[in-house]
Structures are given as structure tokens and as C-alpha cells.
Amino acid sequence: MLIVKKFGGSSVANKERIFNVAKRCIEDYKAGNDVVVVLSAMGDTTDDLIDMAHSINPRPPKREMDMLLAVGEQMSVAYMGMAMDSLGIPAISLNAFQVKMHTNSSYGSAKLKSIDTERIRNELEMHKIVIITGFQGINRMDDLTTLGRGGSDTTAVALAAALHADACEIYTDVDGVYTADPRIVPNARKLPEISYSEMLELASLGAKVLHNRSVELAKKYGVQLVVRSSLNTNEGTVVKEAARMERMIVSGVASDKNVARISVMGVENEPGVAFKVFNSLARKNINVDIILQSVGREGTKDIAFTVAKDDLDAAVDVIKDDMKIFTAKGYEVETGVAKVSIVGAGMTSHPGVAAKMFGALSAGGINIKMISTSEIRITVVVDEKDADRAVRLIHDAFDLAD
Ligand code: ADP
Ligand code: ASP
Ligand code: MG
């Protein structure tokens, strides 16, 4: 069997944890498997690097940022190679350059384009454990890029697809995917399995247990994932094509505090205005999430939308520059907001799901600022200070606890 095993930052946070991971990989290796290991940066390394960078330059060039952040993963793989060597096991660490992990040039959120598996195959043939840096890639100028926060999951899935691996295991600091973040909802329930579509929504809406693009890739290439803990041998959660007969109405609640709201006020109530606003944002590569347009009055209307907090400065620059083009009279920014969402494939066939969610929020005196729905999810924007309580109230209302 060829097994891809990915370990997140907390799983390699210190020497003991590094040896713990080494031993788990060696077990599979000794059982006769080909083992490819993908690692994240140790503990808070990536956050620390970002803090230091911002202390030097509050808006550092994205290229330099990726040059910096790629360091974290390179440390982990080298330490792991050393740990395995000290345990008498042949292993080799490789970075994105060495495995020709090609991405586009969107520094900070690069998309994988291709992986050359030749080097990995050669090393596996020589019976080595191959340890690969997660999160990083190279673009066509041979510059280092990174895939976005949490991107090591995506590296692992991409490698599993490219190598036609028999298993792709994502090891983290919780036992699997839960009905909500167990740090926010202590009695959340572990899901034995979840469909790609539901997991993709949860991940995109803030459940950072998996990088959303890793789920997208897994779905596209049919890579079945197992999410489990690196610290015990409990069964994890299988992420795969929907298999259950009975679909859960709601499979999980997610929240995302990395959100800011921008309102563009007093734009003319005529065709093409929304196009102009979102076209300008798209041209600067800014992802817009929930959009709310007010009812027009006296020939004008307001358009409000959310962006990731990291994109806020860039989005405000666009709005300021293009105010005249949008015919806007002003704009407002709100940062203390969060998104809270429910996800469930069974939602479509059950009326009253939204009412139940809004009822839970209303009972808790939590004001809803924006609402957005799709077939399998409902998202509300609330005050950031209410977000955790909102998650717990909704989790209770749908009876998701253990
Ligand atoms: P890693 O460093 O291993 O990649 P992350 O910190 O990126 O780990 O992701 C794991 C964390 O995701 C957990 O510690 C947990 O707090 C959080 N999380 C958020 N939502 C969920 C969920 N629905 N199920 C499990 N964990 C979740
Ligand atoms: N080290 C990177 C981050 O913290 C990638 C990852 O952990 O997946 O975002
Ligand atoms: Mg992660």
C-alpha cells in the first residue's frame, strides 16, 4: 500500500511530538507500506513568522511573505528526517522545489497546478520514507509560493491523488470532524463519516479542521480522507462520497471570525452598479462572500458585503479609488463581526430549518446582521462577541450533542 500521512502543526510542535509522529510512520513502513509524510510548520511557527514580518512592515510584499513562511515547513521535514535516521530508518526530506510542486503565482493563496512524482517514486523505490513540506509550492519563475493558511492538507491530498495513494490520512489535534469545533462546543459529537459536499461547506465556513481546497481536490479526484488524532488511535472521520441512506438534516455548525463587512452607501439605483463594485474587487483578486443589497429608495440604494479580514485593507483601497465609478456617497467598515453557519445535505427536504436556527438566535437575544442560504447551508452574520454563544445555541437547538 502507498499511504500519505499528513501531520499538522500541533502534531510536530516539539521533540517528543516529532518522535511520536516518526514512530507512527515507521509502524506503517515496517508493515511493508510505502510511506509519504506531509508536514506543517511546528506549533505556532507560521503565526510567529507572520507577527515578526508585520513588525517590520505592516503590509509586507506577498512574495517576500511566501519566501518567509515556507521556512516553517522546511524546518519540520528536516527535523523529521533526522528523527527517523536516529531511529535507524532510511528517510529523506524534500521541499516543493525538489518535488516540483508547481502552482500559479497568487502568493499567499497559490493554486497547485502539477506535481512531478518521479523523485518521490525513486526515493520510495529505494525504500525510504519520503517527508515532504506541506503548504508550499513554486511558480513558473521558481519563486516560492504558499497555498493559504491550513494549506498543508491540500498538499497531502494533491500528493495522494498524484501518486494514486491507497490511503490519505490527516492527523491533527482532535479525534476527527465534529458537529462543531469541540473547543467551542465541548459536547460536540464526532461524525463517523461526512460527505465531500458537507465537509467542503464546513471547511469553507470556518471549520479549519480541513483546508477547504483539500476537500475540493479530494472530491475531484475521489481521494477518500481519514481525519484522526496523532495522539491516540481512536477511529477518526471518513470524508467520502455520500453513502448514508438517511441524511442528517444538519451535520454541523461552523463559525468564522476572520470576517469584515463593508457597506457602500447611496449608490444609484440603476443597472450595472453592482457589476462595477464587484468587478473592481474581483480585478484585485478579492473574494467577496455574503452580499446584501438594500431596497432602493429615492433613486439610491446601499450594497453591503463581507470579505476576509486579511483582504479588508485591499478592499477598502478599491472602494476608495472607485467611489465615483460606483456613484457611491460613502462607505462604512465593520470589523467586529463573524459568520455562523449550519450545514446539512438533508436541509433541502426539511422545511423549518432556517426558522429553527433563527429561533435559537432570537431566544439568545442575538441580532442577525445578514443572512445567506444555499441548498445545504444557512449562514448568518452576527456580532463577533456573540459568535461562540450562537454556535452553542444552534448546536443545542438541533440536538447535535453527544
Ligand atoms: P492542524 O494543525 O493539525 O492542521 P488545525 O488547527 O488546522 O490543525 O485544525 C484542527 C482544529 O480545527 C481543531 O483543534 C479544532 O479546534 C478546529 N475545528 C473547527 N471546527 C471543527 C470541527 N467541526 N471538527 C473538528 N475540529 C474542528
Ligand atoms: N503552516 C501553515 C499554516 O499554519 C500550513 C498548515 O499548517 O497547514 O497555515
Ligand atoms: Mg490545519
Side-chain angles (χ1 to χ4, degrees):
M1 284 226 305
L2 195 163
I3 308 174
V4 173
K5 299 167 91 71
K6 180 263 171 178
F7 296 86
S10 49
S11 301
V12 291
N14 55 41
K15 193 163 93 182
E16 288 68 36
R17 296 269 173 100
I18 288 175
F19 274 103
N20 169 57
V21 167
K23 285 177 186 149
R24 289 192 82 139
C25 297
I26 289 169
E27 268 172 36
D28 283 334
Y29 173 82
K30 285 196 168 157
N33 300 296
D34 285 332
V35 179
V36 173
V37 186
V38 176
L39 298 182
S40 294
M42 294 168 67
D44 296 329
T45 305
T46 309
D47 289 328
D48 295 344
L49 293 170
I50 292 172
D51 288 348
M52 179 64 185
H54 285 164
S55 78
I56 291 174
N57 180 343
R59 288 174 81 172
K62 288 189 161 182
R63 180 196 177 276
E64 301 311 322
M65 212 51 201
D66 280 4
M67 187 74 177
L68 176 69
L69 296 190
V71 169
E73 272 63 19
Q74 194 152 325
M75 284 169 62
S76 303
V77 296
Y79 288 144
M80 188 59 66
M82 295 172 196
M84 289 185 180
D85 178 76
S86 81
L87 296 169
I89 300 296
I92 183 165
S93 63
L94 298 172
N95 64 17
F97 204 85
Q98 291 162 313
V99 296
K100 303 188 181 66
M101 187 103 56
H102 285 285
T103 70
N104 65 11
S105 285
S106 299
Y107 298 109
S109 57
K111 295 232 161 70
L112 281 167
K113 294 208 301 203
S114 66
I115 299 175
D116 185 350
T117 54
E118 195 186 329
R119 177 77 190 263
I120 303 172
R121 293 252 180 233
N122 288 344
E123 301 294 351
L124 288 173
E125 251 163 53
M126 288 189 274
H127 296 292
K128 290 184 195 162
I129 295 183
V130 183
I131 312 156
I132 300 177
T133 48
F135 184 49
Q136 56 177 253
I138 50 168
N139 66 14
R140 64 192 166 82
M141 278 98 76
D142 283 346
D143 278 347
L144 282 161
T145 56
T146 64
L147 308 184
R149 299 305 307 271
S152 298
D153 300 327
T154 300
T155 310
V157 174
L159 280 166
L163 292 162
H164 305 291
D166 301 288
C168 183
E169 303 165 350
I170 309 288
Y171 290 85
T172 182
D173 57 357
V174 286
D175 285 4
V177 180
Y178 283 72
T179 48
D181 186 340
R183 291 179 206 279
I184 300 175
V185 184
N187 63 356
R189 187 164 43 85
K190 185 171 74 182
L191 300 163
E193 57 182 57
I194 184 166
S195 67
Y196 290 125
S197 321
E198 288 166 296
M199 190 63 237
L200 182 55
E201 291 284 354
L202 281 178
S204 305
L205 295 163
K208 68 168 185 162
V209 61
L210 283 176
H211 191 224
N212 60 351
R213 294 228 313 278
S214 73
V215 186
E216 219 166 62
L217 269 189
K219 183 178 170 142
K220 184 166 169 194
Y221 292 102
V223 177
Q224 189 165 308
L225 304 179
V226 182
V227 180
R228 52 193 302 199
S229 168
S230 63
L231 299 171
N232 61 46
T233 53
N234 296 348
E235 262 178 50
T237 301
V238 179
V239 186
K240 58 178 192 179
E241 210 53 77
R244 276 165 295 151
M245 299 294 285
E246 279 289 326
R247 286 176 157 189
M248 304 243 299
I249 299 176
V250 171
S251 346
V253 187
S255 59
D256 187 352
K257 295 177 179 165
N258 178 25
V259 181
R261 176 161 88 151
I262 301 178
S263 308
V264 182
M265 331 257 274
V267 299
E268 275 168 24
N269 195 12
E270 60 182 33
V273 175
F275 164 71
K276 284 176 192 155
V277 173
F278 297 112
N279 191 44
S280 291
L281 290 162
R283 289 210 330 241
K284 291 277 172 199
N285 247 323
I286 297 167
N287 251 330
V288 171
D289 193 26
I290 301 171
I291 299 171
L292 193 75
Q293 181 175 296
S294 71
V295 179
R297 262 195 209 98
E298 290 160 14
T300 69
K301 61 191 176 188
D302 302 336
I303 299 176
F305 55 90
T306 60
V307 294
K309 254 185 207 159
D310 317 326
D311 285 338
L312 180 60
D313 288 346
V316 168
D317 285 350
V318 169
I319 302 297
K320 269 194 209 150
D321 288 351
D322 290 358
M323 285 263 281
K324 285 221 172 70
I325 301 174
F326 306 155
T327 66
K329 300 205 168 51
Y331 72 92
E332 246 175 45
V333 172
E334 195 178 355
T335 46
V337 293
K339 280 189 299 187
V340 176
S341 311
I342 56 174
V343 170
M347 245 185 233
T348 27
S349 48
H350 283 81
V353 179
K356 196 180 231 181
M357 179 179 182
F358 302 158
L361 294 171
S362 145
I366 296 173
N367 186 37
I368 300 173
K369 293 166 168 274
M370 292 169 113
I371 300 171
S372 140
T373 64
S374 83
E375 277 210 320
I376 65 165
R377 73 160 169 103
I378 302 171
T379 301
V380 296
V381 174
V382 298
D383 273 334
E384 187 176 351
K385 64 170 174 36
D386 293 330
D388 289 357
R389 199 160 56 87
V391 171
R392 287 189 285 268
L393 286 167
I394 295 167
H395 195 267
D396 270 355
F398 286 96
D399 232 355
L400 299 176
D402 234 342

